[in-house]
Amino acid sequence: MIVARPFATEAAFDELLRPFRIRADRIMVGMNVFLLLVCALLAPLRSTWMEWLLIGVPTLLLSFVLLRRQPGALLTRLFMASAFMVFTGLIIHQTGGDIEAHFSAFGLIGVLLYYRDWRTILAATVVIYLHHLILGYAQALGAPIFVFDSNQFWLLFGLHVAYFLPFVGMMGYLAIWLRREGYESQHVINLAQQIVQGNLVEEAVSPTGTETPLINAVRLMKSRLLDLLRVMPIAAAVIRIDTDRIVNVNAAWIRTIGPLDNEHAQFGQSPIWADPDTWSSLMQRLREARDKLIDKVEVVLRKNDGTPILCELSMILHEDIVPVMAILTVEDITLRRRAEETMQRLAFRDMLTDLPNRTSLQLAMEAAIQNWQAQKRPFAVILHDCPSAAAAREIAQRFITAIARPIRLSVSGEIVSVGASAGVAHVGDGEATAEAILKRADDALYSAKHAGKNRIT
């Protein structure tokens, strides 16, 4: 358990650092290509073309295979670190053992910088120690292999082990701290990408259970944005355009529309739209807008239970981020519109009969006067396109006749009748004002009443 715990702790960082280490795999393959070329340049010095072909080429090919099939995996990292040392041993051999210590150190530094993983430092150290032990001993026995520049094998091997142990310890210690910094950087990037993409819910848990001040600051900013979204009184949603999916909604959205419907992957095909073509037309309008904004467009939406609601919809498109995102706000104006219609009716209709009132008459007269002034269209009170006073009197007579019809009361059975008089003011030429027309019609009405009622003048 004591031995396994450090490996388990290190493995906890692997998933978050995977993008970082995939890039490192590519760099290491590129470095292996470079080292293979170096070995090719050194091959003529001691005629080591066979070693170059049997050691260097397969090592490079295998690194390409692992990069393609298992990028970012621990096995790939361990092989890349070992491959670096394999090329190091090959170069040491090709140069006659003159640079074994310095070049091995260079290899460990490269592995440290690329992977920031003490396990790769350990693997690279084991490979170079085995290389020095096995091939160095073979050199001491007379094999044509060059590891050390002297035949005193055990002395040189012991010196190299003693020389490398502090260096390896330092590399492992630095790898742990550099790994932590790499984790912090990647974690901050992930948090920032979540914020940019509108995903303010999912949280990445620290493998160590502790957070650095930088991560805490970004997480705090994310929490504040989430709080702001929650307290917004207007329903809001964040939509990812490339997948046409909602990635986040606030509490007001759930109250107004309802919870997200996971059965419909595409937001444009969601039953929220009373008209299926609404979303596509909104997106076209949004893309054509110069500021990528549409503001307070009235649309009819449906709640999750199918209830239609009239809404004011606003949306802004963010094309400067990847993936492209849109922020959508929806305000239910159903009650407000009903209240406005009620106020409109109260302002222009009689409360008892629901017939147009005097204010409505005034507006109709002003419209008729404007038509008269602009197009010389004659009228009489509110009879538009009335050619003469006689035509107006004919219509007024029909009203008087209809009103005078007897009415039988349903309770007592009595028959009653009422009468009416009318005054006509026709506008056919000259100037006209609402006050003058009403005065003429009122004077004509009183003349009809004085003449015996139930008359028209």
Side-chain angles (χ1 to χ4, degrees):
M1 292 293 295
I2 296 178
V3 176
R5 189 175 302 150
F7 288 93
T9 301
E10 189 67 32
F13 288 90
D14 289 344
E15 189 58 34
L16 185 61
L17 290 177
R18 184 178 179 83
F20 176 85
R21 285 168 172 168
I22 289 176
R23 294 192 296 269
D25 287 342
R26 298 192 188 105
I27 294 173
M28 287 296 291
V29 170
M31 183 57 67
N32 287 344
V33 172
F34 171 75
L35 291 175
L36 186 68
L37 293 176
V38 171
C39 292
L41 294 175
L42 295 175
L45 296 179
R46 298 180 181 273
S47 298
T48 53
W49 288 107
M50 185 62 67
E51 292 88 337
W52 178 84
L53 182 63
L54 296 179
I55 299 175
V57 173
T59 300
L60 179 62
L61 293 177
L62 188 54
S63 67
F64 272 110
V65 171
L66 288 173
L67 175 64
R68 181 178 179 83
R69 295 187 177 180
Q70 299 190 47
L74 176 61
L75 175 62
T76 303
R77 293 199 299 279
L78 295 178
F79 175 81
M80 295 296 184
S82 302
F84 209 113
M85 289 305 162
V86 168
F87 280 111
T88 297
L90 181 57
I91 292 174
I92 291 172
H93 169 68
Q94 290 179 307
T95 56
D98 294 332
I99 60 169
E100 72 280 359
H102 302 296
F103 206 78
S104 299
F106 165 71
L108 283 178
I109 293 174
V111 172
L112 166 69
L113 293 177
Y114 292 142
Y115 285 122
R116 307 180 183 188
D117 186 344
W118 62 265
R119 294 167 298 183
T120 60
I121 299 293
L122 180 61
T125 302
V126 170
V127 169
I128 200 64
Y129 274 172
L130 289 177
H131 169 269
H132 284 19
L133 176 63
I134 297 173
L135 298 184
Y137 186 69
Q139 177 187 358
L141 296 178
I145 301 172
F146 300 98
V147 177
F148 301 112
D149 55 359
S150 172
N151 290 329
Q152 297 180 349
F153 166 71
W154 290 111
L155 175 61
L156 292 175
F157 180 74
L159 289 175
H160 278 80
V161 170
Y163 170 80
F164 256 81
L165 279 179
F167 184 76
V168 169
M170 180 183 68
M171 291 295 102
Y173 178 77
L174 289 176
I176 292 174
W177 282 101
L178 288 175
R179 173 260 288 154
R180 188 177 183 86
E181 291 183 1
Y183 153 76
E184 177 181 318
S185 300
Q186 193 64 44
H187 199 160
V188 170
I189 290 173
N190 288 353
L191 288 173
Q193 287 177 342
Q194 289 180 11
I195 294 173
V196 168
Q197 295 174 9
N199 183 1
L200 303 178
V201 179
E202 294 182 4
E203 288 287 352
V205 181
S206 169
T208 61
T210 59
E211 300 290 10
T212 64
L214 178 59
I215 294 178
N216 281 331
V218 177
R219 194 186 297 279
L220 181 62
M221 179 180 66
K222 178 180 176 181
S223 176
R224 293 294 182 266
L225 289 174
L226 185 59
D227 290 340
L228 179 62
L229 189 63
R230 285 172 180 161
V231 300
M232 282 180 59
I234 298 178
V238 181
I239 301 139
R240 182 169 168 170
I241 300 302
D242 59 341
T243 59
D244 194 21
R245 295 285 300 272
I246 290 183
V247 296
N248 203 5
V249 298
N250 65 349
W253 179 281
I254 297 175
R255 291 194 302 269
T256 304
I257 307 296
L260 291 180
D261 187 356
N262 296 325
E263 295 181 2
H264 296 83
Q266 304 242 323
F267 181 58
Q269 299 175 359
S270 170
I272 184 178
W273 306 107
D275 182 354
D277 297 327
T278 301
W279 176 244
S280 58
S281 62
L282 285 173
M283 285 304 303
Q284 181 178 358
R285 179 175 174 180
L286 185 63
R287 290 191 173 99
E288 292 174 353
R290 184 172 60 180
D291 52 1
K292 305 303 178 186
L293 170 68
I294 54 177
D295 188 31
K296 295 185 178 180
V297 178
E298 289 192 7
V299 296
V300 177
L301 302 180
R302 286 196 183 100
K303 294 184 177 183
N304 283 6
D305 60 4
T307 304
I309 54 174
L310 181 64
C311 297
E312 277 186 349
L313 181 147
S314 299
M315 186 161 56
I316 186 169
L317 186 67
H318 292 278
E319 292 184 318
D320 54 345
I321 60 174
V322 178
V324 177
M325 310 295 292
I327 299 177
L328 173 72
T329 61
V330 171
E331 182 178 4
D332 184 358
I333 61 171
T334 305
L335 296 179
R336 188 179 79 187
R337 184 53 50 85
R338 289 176 183 170
E340 291 173 351
E341 291 173 353
T342 300
M343 294 300 294
Q344 181 84 1
R345 188 170 61 255
L346 292 175
F348 298 103
R349 295 276 177 172
D350 181 76
M351 292 183 62
L352 180 61
T353 64
D354 200 34
L355 294 174
N357 59 14
R358 190 174 184 85
T359 303
S360 179
L361 171 65
Q362 186 74 22
L363 292 177
M365 286 186 61
E366 291 176 357
I369 291 172
Q370 289 177 359
N371 288 333
W372 159 248
Q373 292 173 344
Q375 304 176 19
K376 298 302 179 183
R377 296 169 60 183
F379 67 97
V381 189
I382 55 172
L383 295 176
H384 296 273
D385 295 322
C386 184
S388 64
R393 290 190 182 95
E394 182 182 348
I395 295 175
Q397 184 60 54
R398 293 206 300 264
F399 277 105
I400 292 175
T401 301
I403 293 173
R405 290 172 184 168
I407 302 173
R408 181 182 296 274
L409 301 179
S410 60
V411 177
S412 63
E414 295 184 46
I415 297 176
V416 298
S417 62
V418 296
S421 297
V424 174
H426 182 264
V427 179
D429 54 14
E431 294 295 328
T433 63
E435 292 80 4
I437 296 169
L438 286 175
K439 180 75 168 54
R440 288 167 52 192
D442 202 38
D443 291 343
L445 174 62
Y446 278 103
S447 296
K449 289 181 177 180
H450 288 304
K453 301 183 179 180
N454 296 322
R455 294 174 180 271
I456 301 170
T457 58

